[in-house]
Structure formats: C-alpha cells, structure tokens
Amino acid sequence: MYKYHDNDTKFIDQRHNQFKKQVTRYFDNELSDDQFRSIRLRNGLYQELHAYMLRVLIPYGSLNSKQLNQLGLIADKYDRGYGHFTTRQNIQFNWIDLSQINSIIADLAKVNMHAIQSSGKTVRNISADPLSGIRKDEVADARPYCELIRQWFTLHPEFSWLPGKFKIAINGSENDEIGIQFNDLGLQLVLNDKHELGFSVYAGGGLGAAPMLAPKIKSFVPEIDILSYIESVLRVYNLYGKRDNDKRLRIKFLVKRLGIEKFHDLVEKDWLSSRDDDEIKLNISKLDKIKKDFIAPIKPITSKNIEQRVDFNYTIWKSNNVSDNKVKGYSIVSVSLTQIGSAPGNIDSDQLRHLSALASKYSLNEVRTTKNQDIVFPYVRNEDLYELWQQLEMFDLSSPHNSTFAHIVSCPGADYCSLAKAVSIPVSKRIQNRFIENGLLFEIGELNLHISGCENSCAHHHVADIGLLGLNKGKEDYYQITLGGRTKNDTKLGKKLGRAIASVDVVDAVEKIVNVYVNNKQQGENFNQLFNRIGIKLFKEAVYA
Amino acid sequence: MLNSKEKTYKLLHIEQWLIEKSGDSNETNGILVRPTDDVESLFVTLKQAPLVAFDFNNFDDGRSYSQVKLLKKRLGYQGEIRALNVHIDHLQFIFRSGIDSYELLPEYKQYNEDYAIDFSICYQAAENNSGLIEQHKFG
C-alpha cells in the first residue's frame, strides 16, 4: 500500500484549515449559497434530502485496517451507525450535521483520510482494479500510477475549476474489471512492440442520461509522458467544454460535438507543444520508489495439509467468493455487502470494526473496495480461509453472493438522495427475497442486476446483464429495464426492453426475464452470450405478454 | 483603465485590439481576455502588448487558467499578466499560474493576502513551484 509521508499529512491538514475558514465565512454570510456549494462539493460535502452527506475518498479503493476502524468510529459518532460504499470505491456518510464537519474531517485526518475532490467539478477519485498487483494476467499494477496522477491533479492550479466532474480509471490487467470506457478518461496499461510500458487512452465515456462508451483516442502514450497527455486532454476540455448547460457538462458531450478526430487533433496539438517540458515528465526513479510500496507483501508458501471441510455453506461461499492470489498459497476473499434484506453497499459500524480486526489478522492490514460495493481481502493464507469464513459469519458478512444474482448493485436511491427519481434499495430487497423464495438463486449462476434511482446512473445499470433505471410518473415509481450490458473485455451498453414498468410489477418482470434465461441457456452460456444469440424478442414477449 | 508598473493602460477586447493593431501601434493599450476568447488569435500581435488581463469574475469558471497557460507556454508571452475581479478563494491558484498581479473583487477588501496562503506544499509543477514535493521534481 502507499505509505503516507509527512507532507501528505501536512497537506490534508492545510486543506482542512482552509475549509474551516470557508465554513466560518459561510456561517457569517460572507459566502453565497452558490459559492459555498462549489467549495463544499470540492470537499466531498453534499446537501441531501434530510441532512448533509460526506463522501470520503478511498484512493483507488485502497484501505488499511486502521482506516476501516476509524470509519466505524465516524459512523457511530456522526452518522446513524453505518456508512455506504459507493460504486466508485468511496464511502459515504448520509446523516452529517454541518456544525460537526470540522470535527469529522479532523477524525478522518488522524488516519490520513479526507474528502478532497471526492466531488465537485474536479478530477475525482481515480478507480483501479481491486485485484491490482495480485492477479496473474497483469501488464502492470495500476495503483502506483493512480497515486501519482491523484497527487498531480490534487488542487492543480490549472484544472481545479473544470466544466464538470472528471473521472479517471486505470486498468493494468487484460481483463477490464473497472469499465475504463465508461469513465471520462480511461487508461489501459499496455506494452508496445518494443516491450516498453505505456497507456492506451480512451476519452469521453460516461453513463448517465446519454451513455457513451469512450472511444480510443491514442494507442500508445509512453508512461513517462502520461501526465502531459492527461493535462492536454484536460486543457482541451477546460477551454472548450460547455459550461452553460447543466446537462451537457461532461467531456463526452465535447467529444461528441467536436467529433473524435477533431478532439484528438486538438489534444495532439497541445501535447506536442508541452510533452517535452522536463517538469512534466513522469519521474521514473521516483515512480519506482512508489512502486515498491505496492509490491505484494507476501512470498509463496506451501500450505500445510488443509483439512477438507464438508460444511455446505462454507463450500458455496468458497466457490463464489474466493479466488487464487497470484502468489502461491494465498487467496483473495471477496466480502459481499449484500446480505439479503440489507441495502447494497451498506455497512454498520460493528461490521466496519470487525472487518478491521479481520484484515489485521488475516490480510496483512489491507482491504480493497470495489465497483460492485464489496470488500476484498487481498492476502489470505489458504489455511486461514475456513476460520475467516467463520469469523465473517458472526457479523453477517459471509453472504456467498459474489457474482451470483443476489449480489445486486444499487445506489442509495430516493430514500436518501435528492437527485433520485425512484427508490432503489427497497426494490433490490424485493428482488432478493423473490429469488430466495423461488429457490432459483444458486441455479441461475453468474448474473448481475444493477439499480440506479435516476439517470445519473450511479449503479452503472447500463453495463449490467439486467439494468433497472428509476423513473417517476406521477405518484408511482417506474423502472426502465435494459438487458445485455457488460464490462470486462468488451464493454457494451444494455438495450432497452420496452416501456417502463410500474414498481408493483417490476419484480415479476425481472423473474420473467430470468426464466427466459434459465429456460433457454445452453451448457456454460452466460447471460450475455445468450442475449447475443437469441436477441431481445423472447424477453419482450415474456415481460409484456 | 488600470495602473500597472506606473503606466496607465487602456484595456481592449481581443477583436478591438486586432483592429487597432492593423493601424498605428499604441503602447498604452493592453488586452482584456474574456473566458470565451480564443487567445491564439493573438499570435501575431501579442508581443506588442505590455499587459494582458483576464477576468476571473465567474466563481466557477476556470478557463482563464488554461488561457494564461497557452499565452505563456505556447505563445511565449513575456509581458505582464494580470487577473481582474478575483475571488479570494481563487488566490491559491492565481499564485501558481504565472499571473503577475491581481485585483480582488471589492467584496473582499477586508482580506489581505495572508488569508489566502493556506498551503506550504504542492503536488504538481506549474509556473510557480515553491513547495513542490520531492517526488514530482524532475530528475
């Protein structure tokens, strides 16, 4: 993991002192609501339906056990005893009182955490594959680049007042688990013909009301030039991105308006005039130093004779939630935060503390957050798996749902979010319950369902096998269904099934869709393959018959 | 009108500046760039301008920062760059952007510069690199 330096701690404190003064000015009526809004968002603070919400940054999903423990304390002290892990690897607290904000920020700073640029029209948290550094098929670990790029664009003097938010994702493996093409800027680590390391660059992706997959704008940028290339993309966006239409702020609209070629040419022209500036070349010797922080702190081990367990629940959990670490003798454990009946991504303070203790004991103090709102333990000895599972059981953290249908991804929805048009969490609970009742859950196999409460698409419903988008028609919630979206190697947006479905009928509709899948799938065929083979017709007939 | 280096300049918008430059040159004219302007249109005549000013009145608009960057780096401008209508919350960025002088909006008259100096360190090279942390120094 990245090791925080004194300077990093100092920087967080200095930002906090600045924000304190700004909050005081707001209370003294020296800052307008609009100005304060712009400032507080840059510090992760939203004003929601019932309270303020604080989004705490978890850089590229990397957390240590001390930080987890502190998040538990914050959940108890300032929230109602829980937090919500987001699809961009951060954590949110939903019941924040503005008068306590300084005290929360101070408590976060004690463990080098903060909310700087977790929101607002800035460069946001940078996403990385939660299995970075521990997978077998990796070109290079994305996290050292995430950290350097995160630092470089923190309070950058030129790029702190962008037209809209700017999300970067970096992928280091051949399998794209983070969906780089639905970020504003997606970077894929690649080796060129000469075996030199660099990035393929995708720009202008995003979900939301006008989903767009980012086109590739550059096949190879040498690693040493990546900062200047990102600066050039940001400069073109900063200068030409629309600022007068709230619905057209993201870079995807600029790429669309200019056309890929013209956008590429503008970036290229800028880059050719700035890339040779020594100051902006990535410092390779210092990068190598940071890379050392991220090397997996484990050596191959030969496990003792591991006793075979015949516990049914353990066996299911192990087959769904455990995978091999690239280092022999170690496993990667995924803790699903989708206990049946609870809100996806939600976690209470006892669970946070318990996970913290377990991470210390079984995973060398480290966990990762994921875009599917899980917690990953990266370094678990194979011989500890059964014991860890038992410990997870004690705090309702042993859901064997990873990559099964019960693992629903959901935003907070209209229960919490002022932007949402419909509820998300209650629908996810109803769907989970239905599939437990009908006994289909483990028969279905790998299938994913995402629910977003509005077009902002925080739950990434466009790229799910089954996507639900909340709409509001009069007094009732409706859901627009999309099918056949996917990420990984071949990102695709889902297709609309047809007219939106009323909340009362939506669980039936999902069940009908799943039945079409189960009844028609061939041996080993996943939902996406089936959808490509049979198309949307049968699904339409089943749902709207 | 605005005073700089004990000289008084008349500020012209880019279009006007380009017209005047085609006739007699007037050394008391400076340029006022708006966020929507294309600074690269100044390419030929820019060197004759003793001062270029940018308007930072819109709290959320960061275009001027990139315009300043183009002016200095791509067009090689060496005269004075001044920020007008500056909000105090922008000063930390103004200080590091290669802007030579600034004028705060009148509503901030009770604040002095010390108010805005919150940071002793920074994470990226820019025009002013005091406080740049070690791992982002080149070489």
Side-chain angles (χ1 to χ4, degrees):
Chain A
M1 285 185 91
Y2 177 65
K3 292 189 181 65
Y4 289 87
H5 300 251
D6 292 348
N7 271 337
D8 298 316
T9 309
K10 197 195 272 182
F11 189 88
I12 293 172
D13 286 345
Q14 293 181 344
R15 176 62 159 179
H16 183 203
N17 286 333
Q18 180 187 46
F19 188 49
K20 253 191 231 171
K21 292 193 294 183
Q22 289 165 325
V23 172
T24 306
R25 276 165 57 216
Y26 177 63
F27 282 133
D28 293 344
N29 291 320
E30 287 177 25
L31 270 172
S32 71
D33 283 341
D34 281 348
Q35 287 171 341
F36 183 61
R37 179 174 181 274
S38 179
I39 287 169
R40 69 170 158 74
L41 286 176
R42 282 157 216 281
N43 289 280
L45 192 64
Y46 284 70
Q47 194 165 10
E48 295 292 10
L49 284 180
H50 314 288
Y52 282 86
M53 179 273 274
L54 183 68
R55 180 182 297 151
V56 177
L57 196 94
I58 302 176
Y60 38 91
S62 186
L63 268 179
N64 64 38
S65 42
K66 259 191 186 162
Q67 292 173 325
L68 261 179
N69 192 58
Q70 189 74 350
L71 291 174
L73 174 135
I74 284 164
D76 277 339
K77 202 165 155 189
Y78 308 104
D79 197 295
R80 296 183 177 178
Y82 62 93
H84 174 82
F85 284 105
T86 75
T87 52
R88 285 200 89 252
Q89 302 176 295
N90 296 312
I91 187 168
Q92 296 181 176
F93 294 102
N94 283 306
W95 298 97
I96 300 300
D97 188 335
L98 185 57
S99 66
Q100 291 188 304
I101 189 67
N102 286 321
S103 163
I104 306 171
I105 293 177
D107 277 340
L108 285 168
K110 286 176 188 161
V111 290
N112 277 310
M113 294 192 85
H114 58 82
I116 301 167
Q117 291 179 204
S118 67
S119 175
K121 294 171 180 176
T122 58
V123 176
R124 301 284 193 90
N125 191 12
I126 299 175
S127 297
D129 182 353
L131 305 191
S132 295
I134 49 178
R135 349 167 127 258
K136 289 175 182 154
D137 66 346
E138 208 165 48
V139 179
D141 188 340
R143 294 168 302 161
Y145 299 95
C146 290
E147 180 55 33
L148 275 183
I149 292 168
R150 182 193 74 78
Q151 292 184 11
W152 189 269
F153 291 102
T154 296
L155 302 189
H156 192 293
E158 187 180 348
F159 306 116
S160 287
W161 305 85
L162 296 170
K165 59 184 166 188
F166 198 82
K167 297 174 177 175
I168 301 176
I170 308 180
N171 185 43
S173 88
E174 284 157 17
N175 209 6
D176 177 12
E177 292 285 350
I178 48 168
I180 53 172
Q181 279 183 278
F182 58 84
N183 282 269
D184 296 288
L185 189 73
L187 303 176
Q188 172 68 47
L189 277 153
V190 288
L191 292 169
N192 68 5
D193 298 343
K194 295 177 199 151
H195 223 69
E196 294 159 333
L197 191 60
F199 298 88
S200 288
V201 181
Y202 298 79
L207 297 176
M212 185 165 143
L213 293 181
K216 192 191 270 192
I217 58 162
K218 186 87 180 164
S219 297
F220 189 79
V221 176
E223 61 170 341
I224 193 170
D225 290 321
I226 194 60
L227 291 173
S228 59
Y229 197 84
I230 300 173
E231 281 209 357
S232 291
V233 170
L234 279 168
R235 189 164 297 123
V236 169
Y237 175 47
N238 197 32
L239 285 166
Y240 303 109
K242 270 209 180 302
R243 291 170 184 266
D244 54 2
N245 180 344
D246 275 354
K247 291 193 155 64
R248 293 281 183 275
L249 300 174
R250 302 280 291 274
I251 193 173
K252 63 185 173 184
F253 297 106
L254 177 65
V255 174
K256 211 170 175 185
R257 177 158 55 91
L258 295 175
I260 297 164
E261 206 170 316
K262 169 95 171 139
F263 178 80
H264 164 267
D265 291 350
L266 284 170
V267 171
E268 201 69 13
K269 181 183 169 201
D270 189 82
W271 189 49
L272 292 176
S273 74
S274 62
R275 65 180 283 188
D276 292 329
D277 194 343
D278 279 351
E279 286 185 330
I280 200 171
K281 297 268 182 200
L282 202 69
N283 188 326
I284 294 291
S285 66
K286 284 165 188 163
L287 173 69
D288 285 343
K289 231 177 179 176
I290 288 190
K291 279 185 177 172
K292 283 190 188 138
D293 282 3
F294 289 95
I295 294 172
I298 49 176
K299 295 249 161 15
I301 45 171
T302 309
S303 304
K304 295 177 233 159
N305 265 346
I306 300 170
E307 201 184 323
Q308 290 300 313
R309 302 284 174 178
V310 279
D311 186 316
F312 178 69
N313 289 335
Y314 171 67
T315 308
I316 292 181
W317 174 81
K318 191 164 174 263
S319 80
N320 285 328
N321 293 42
V322 179
S323 59
D324 289 340
N325 191 303
K326 72 175 182 190
V327 179
K328 192 176 163 245
Y330 284 86
S331 291
I332 302 163
V333 169
S334 205
V335 178
S336 300
L337 299 180
T338 51
Q339 197 61 28
I340 304 297
S342 74
N346 270 16
I347 186 162
D348 69 37
S349 56
D350 286 339
Q351 291 175 322
L352 283 163
R353 279 185 286 268
H354 192 57
L355 282 180
S356 160
L358 294 180
S360 305
K361 190 165 177 198
Y362 298 107
S363 186
L364 298 170
N365 293 316
E366 182 177 340
V367 302
R368 321 256 178 99
T369 55
T370 81
K371 83 171 173 18
N372 292 332
Q373 302 169 295
D374 302 319
I375 302 288
V376 167
F377 279 39
Y379 311 120
V380 181
R381 284 168 177 261
N382 293 346
E383 64 217 48
D384 291 339
L385 282 170
Y386 185 72
E387 203 176 293
L388 172 59
W389 173 75
Q390 288 179 311
Q391 297 281 321
L392 289 168
E393 279 260 283
M394 281 165 53
F395 282 81
D396 275 351
L397 288 163
S398 63
S399 289
H401 297 144
N402 199 35
S403 59
T404 73
F405 191 56
H407 187 174
I408 293 172
V409 174
S410 159
C411 67
D415 294 313
Y416 301 99
C417 175
S418 58
L419 301 170
K421 296 199 170 109
V423 298
S424 310
I425 293 167
V427 176
S428 106
K429 287 182 189 170
R430 281 166 53 207
I431 294 172
Q432 285 176 329
N433 286 332
R434 172 71 61 90
F435 282 86
I436 287 166
E437 281 163 21
N438 68 17
L440 273 176
L441 195 56
F442 292 105
E443 218 173 282
I444 302 168
E446 195 169 330
L447 179 65
N448 58 62
L449 184 141
H450 295 202
I451 310 173
S452 300
C454 75
E455 287 172 334
N456 286 300
S457 313
C458 292
H460 306 162
H461 65 275
H462 296 293
V463 289
D465 290 325
I466 304 173
L468 262 55
L469 163 67
L471 308 167
N472 196 281
K473 293 186 178 178
K475 280 183 187 156
E476 213 177 335
D477 286 352
Y478 275 72
Y479 296 86
Q480 170 80 67
I481 298 179
T482 48
L483 298 180
R486 66 175 272 127
T487 54
K488 301 198 179 173
N489 300 325
D490 154 37
T491 304
K492 241 174 42 190
L493 299 171
K495 275 200 181 129
K496 274 185 196 167
L497 180 67
R499 63 171 195 275
I501 295 189
S503 177
V504 48
D505 298 323
V506 77
V507 180
D508 289 342
V510 169
E511 190 173 12
K512 286 170 187 163
I513 289 164
V514 173
N515 282 334
V516 171
Y517 168 55
V518 171
N519 295 335
N520 289 280
K521 75 170 173 176
Q522 297 170 350
Q523 187 72 27
E525 196 175 40
N526 67 26
F527 187 86
N528 221 271
Q529 291 159 338
L530 171 108
F531 190 76
N532 286 341
R533 180 167 62 78
I534 69 169
I536 205 162
K537 191 166 162 267
L538 281 182
F539 293 101
K540 258 186 201 275
E541 285 169 5
V543 171
Y544 298 108
Chain B
M1 304 291 269
L2 135 98
N3 292 316
S4 179
K5 292 180 183 163
E6 294 165 15
K7 273 193 182 170
T8 305
Y9 298 103
K10 186 174 146 201
L11 291 179
L12 304 176
H13 287 311
I14 286 187
E15 321 74 90
Q16 211 181 341
W17 161 269
L18 291 173
I19 291 165
E20 299 225 351
K21 275 293 128 187
S22 60
D24 288 339
S25 135
N26 182 343
E27 285 179 10
T28 60
N29 285 351
I31 306 171
L32 174 62
V33 178
R34 291 161 294 198
T36 47
D37 288 339
D38 174 13
V39 288
E40 290 191 87
S41 64
L42 292 167
F43 183 60
V44 180
T45 57
L46 182 65
K47 283 197 175 65
Q48 299 168 45
L51 177 134
V52 181
F54 291 84
D55 187 353
F56 283 83
N57 191 33
N58 185 336
F59 193 79
D60 279 318
D61 196 330
R63 280 177 283 199
S64 301
Y65 293 109
S66 285
Q67 291 173 323
V68 169
K69 176 81 180 183
L70 291 185
L71 202 72
K72 280 189 87 90
K73 283 283 181 189
R74 209 185 289 172
L75 306 182
Y77 181 67
Q78 305 203 334
E80 182 180 346
I81 298 180
R82 174 167 286 223
L84 300 180
N85 301 320
V86 174
H87 293 270
I88 191 101
D89 304 286
H90 272 258
L91 270 189
Q92 68 177 104
F93 306 105
I94 299 270
F95 289 153
R96 298 201 53 225
S97 297
I99 291 166
D100 303 296
S101 56
Y102 67 90
E103 287 182 7
L104 286 177
L105 282 162
E107 66 224 56
Y108 301 101
K109 60 178 182 296
Q110 73 272 38
Y111 294 102
N112 59 28
E113 213 166 73
D114 291 346
Y115 172 89
I117 300 175
D118 295 293
F119 294 92
S120 63
I121 35 180
C122 59
Y123 279 113
Q124 62 291 107
E127 292 299 312
N128 166 359
N129 286 337
S130 75
L132 182 61
I133 63 154
E134 193 57 29
Q135 62 214 38
H136 290 304
K137 284 183 185 154
F138 180 74

